[in-house]
Amino acid sequence: MFEIREKPEMVERAMLVSIYFDPSEAGEKQAMLDELEDLVSNLGIGIAGKHLIKSRDMHAKFLCGTGKAQEVKQLALDCRADCVVFDNMLSPSQQREWERLIDECVIDREEVILDIFARRARTREATLQVELARMQYSLPRMARMWNHLDRQGGGSGGGKGGGGAARGEGEKQIEVDRRLARARIEAIQRELVLVTRQRATQRKERERQAVATAAIVGYTNAGKSSLLSLVSGSEVMARDMLFATLDTTTRKIELPHGQPLLLTDTVGFIRNLPHRLVEAFKSTLEEAVLADFLIQVVDASDPEAVRHYETTLEVLGELGAGDKPMIVVLNKVDLVPEERRGALETLLAPHFSGRVVTMSVKEGNGAGDLLNACVEMLESRVRRARFLIPYTRSDLVAAMHSEGKVFSTEYVEEGTLLEAVLPVAFYNKLGSFLTDRQPSCS
């Protein structure tokens, strides 16, 4: 009902355009244009052409000058594109001007990402967050939808009302739609508050159990979901595509020293991620803010690996999680040429802060190193010791099993002898039950 404009049922051939102004940015803009190609292809749209356009100055009407705009129009005609996709963020007025000039559907990077998110959202929370972002994006772009009605009610030269008669049915309809859109935005925001409260309740329950948490973050398609599947031993939806998963998935794993850890997979980041999506997904990304530490997955085979790492840090900074302890996982080393693998960590590690682990999730290599790094991250949170619990305090034995990891249990005359790893807070409560007594050999 509130679509941005009358887009064709199916766009078949899209021409991609990136306008830049500083010659030193050409390399980065080309990399982002290649990334846009992946994004558009993920929507099932064919690529008719891909062009970097250098403009001397920035202009309000088309972003570039009219001469360059005509050049883009001719390129679109030559490749018979039925849609032009700009890697740049276009204002509503610029979008309308380009459509008038080219007479085809024109969209920008933000709309492409919103469309992908709309297709991939599965849970109620993700669906609401995407709908909210799309509605906020659509609201200032509704005028284009009703242009075919804006002359109903008489011309400016005659009839009652003179020039005022040009404001007719179309203007009334757009005002109705804008009011309905604003009401829907408010309704979504209210529903999201309820969903966020439910998540907060679940989070409090986890905190009450004193289980450590870690959030897996990183650039989209770096292998986050595959990593979670590998270390948890459970199937998590993972595909070789950008933004394959939007919903957070949490799995409980056991670390080598016995401590449980809750691992949460989060939505992938991307350069120029629309700010409204960062806002919309804040409740989902709170997992990163509240985690004890972060695991950032970086595609080591990508030439832009360092830039992707920096982009992730920028978004984490916006969320207030920029100073979290972090393990950096250099993934997909199986795709790195053999002659470069030995020097990979040496070349990339200086660009990263925190512990660096090199692994191939696909081949299963390096998982043990990652789990040991997680143990190091949490060593101040747990204690391993032996306890002698009187039989009258069987409640403490049950609590030790639920709060930590019990390695051995032996029933002796004085009570239950246990060796366990426990959270520090719970360990401190059991100080009077600590013992040096060794379990029997039998």
Side-chain angles (χ1 to χ4, degrees), residues 186-405:
E186 291 174 3
I188 295 171
Q189 289 171 331
R190 286 195 297 270
E191 192 166 351
L192 275 172
V193 168
L194 296 177
V195 174
T196 303
R197 285 176 184 166
Q198 291 171 355
R199 288 175 63 83
T201 301
Q202 295 169 353
R203 194 176 291 117
K204 281 181 181 176
E205 178 62 21
R206 294 209 307 255
E207 289 172 355
R208 188 190 66 77
Q209 295 175 0
V211 179
T213 60
I216 304 174
V217 299
Y219 210 74
T220 184
N221 206 31
K224 299 182 300 299
S225 298
S226 299
L227 176 67
L228 181 59
S229 294
L230 174 66
V231 298
S232 66
S234 62
E235 286 298 320
V236 177
M237 202 282 273
R239 297 174 64 186
D240 185 18
M241 62 169 60
L242 303 181
F243 301 116
T245 51
L246 299 184
D247 306 301
T248 57
T249 304
T250 300
R251 295 287 184 269
K252 189 174 184 179
I253 68 170
E254 185 178 294
L255 297 177
H257 71 333
Q259 184 181 7
L261 175 68
L262 290 175
L263 263 184
T264 300
D265 180 23
T266 63
V267 63
F269 302 147
I270 195 169
R271 276 177 287 189
N272 289 355
L273 182 69
H275 188 69
R276 74 184 83 244
L277 275 179
V278 176
E279 288 296 315
F281 275 81
K282 268 191 174 176
S283 59
T284 301
L285 294 170
E286 272 183 1
E287 297 292 345
V289 179
L290 298 172
D292 293 298
F293 66 94
L294 305 177
I295 300 172
Q296 182 177 166
V297 184
V298 178
D299 181 353
S301 68
D302 196 308
E304 295 286 306
V306 174
R307 185 70 187 96
H308 292 175
Y309 167 81
E310 292 169 348
T311 296
T312 303
L313 288 187
E314 288 167 12
V315 179
L316 289 171
E318 285 188 53
L319 296 169
D323 58 349
K324 287 279 180 183
M326 183 181 296
I327 299 170
V328 177
V329 173
L330 295 179
N331 186 28
K332 302 188 183 181
V333 294
D334 54 297
L335 300 180
V336 178
E338 267 192 57
E339 62 272 15
R340 287 186 53 225
R341 288 185 195 177
L344 183 66
E345 193 168 329
T346 306
L347 288 171
L348 293 179
H351 298 281
F352 307 139
S353 59
R355 170 77 182 272
V356 177
V357 175
T358 303
M359 65 185 297
S360 168
V361 171
K362 183 178 178 181
E363 296 180 349
N365 300 330
D369 292 337
L370 173 60
L371 294 178
N372 287 331
C374 291
V375 170
E376 292 173 16
M377 282 285 180
L378 298 172
E379 60 185 0
S380 64
R381 288 177 51 101
V382 295
R383 297 286 185 274
R384 180 166 181 160
R386 284 185 294 277
F387 303 88
L388 182 59
I389 309 296
Y391 289 121
T392 55
R393 297 303 310 272
S394 57
D395 58 311
L396 292 180
V397 175
M400 291 171 73
H401 280 279
S402 63
E403 299 284 343
K405 169 72 174 178

Side-chain angles (χ1 to χ4, degrees), residues 24-157:
S24 65
E25 295 179 341
E28 182 179 357
K29 291 297 182 182
Q30 183 61 58
M32 292 186 66
L33 193 59
D34 293 340
E35 186 173 87
L36 181 65
E37 181 178 8
D38 288 339
L39 289 167
V40 174
S41 298
N42 268 275
L43 291 172
I45 298 172
I47 307 300
K50 202 166 60 166
H51 303 281
L52 268 181
I53 305 295
K54 168 73 171 66
S55 179
R56 207 177 304 174
D57 299 299
M58 189 178 293
H59 297 264
K61 187 174 182 179
F62 292 113
L63 195 63
C64 59
T66 53
K68 290 291 183 181
Q70 289 293 337
E71 182 183 323
V72 171
K73 177 183 178 181
Q74 190 57 51
L75 289 169
L77 288 171
D78 292 344
C79 67
R80 300 190 304 279
D82 54 10
C83 177
V84 177
V85 184
F86 282 85
D87 191 52
N88 312 80
M89 303 295 187
L90 299 178
S91 69
S93 63
Q94 287 169 342
Q95 211 164 8
R96 288 192 292 270
E97 292 295 341
W98 275 110
E99 289 194 333
R100 289 192 189 104
L101 176 68
I102 300 176
D103 196 27
E104 292 288 359
C105 171
V106 174
I107 63 177
D108 62 6
R109 182 185 182 90
E110 180 167 1
E111 189 171 344
V112 171
I113 295 174
L114 287 170
D115 282 350
I116 292 174
F117 272 48
R119 293 188 184 193
R120 305 279 163 77
R122 292 291 178 267
T123 64
R124 181 60 179 158
E125 181 178 17
T127 302
L128 286 170
Q129 289 168 332
V130 172
E131 186 182 357
L132 175 62
R134 294 187 86 196
M135 293 290 288
Q136 291 171 333
Y137 178 85
S138 303
L139 193 56
R141 290 168 168 80
M142 284 185 173
R144 173 69 175 84
M145 188 176 177
W146 298 103
N147 278 356
H148 64 295
L149 298 175
D150 64 4
R151 289 286 178 186
Q152 291 191 14
S156 59

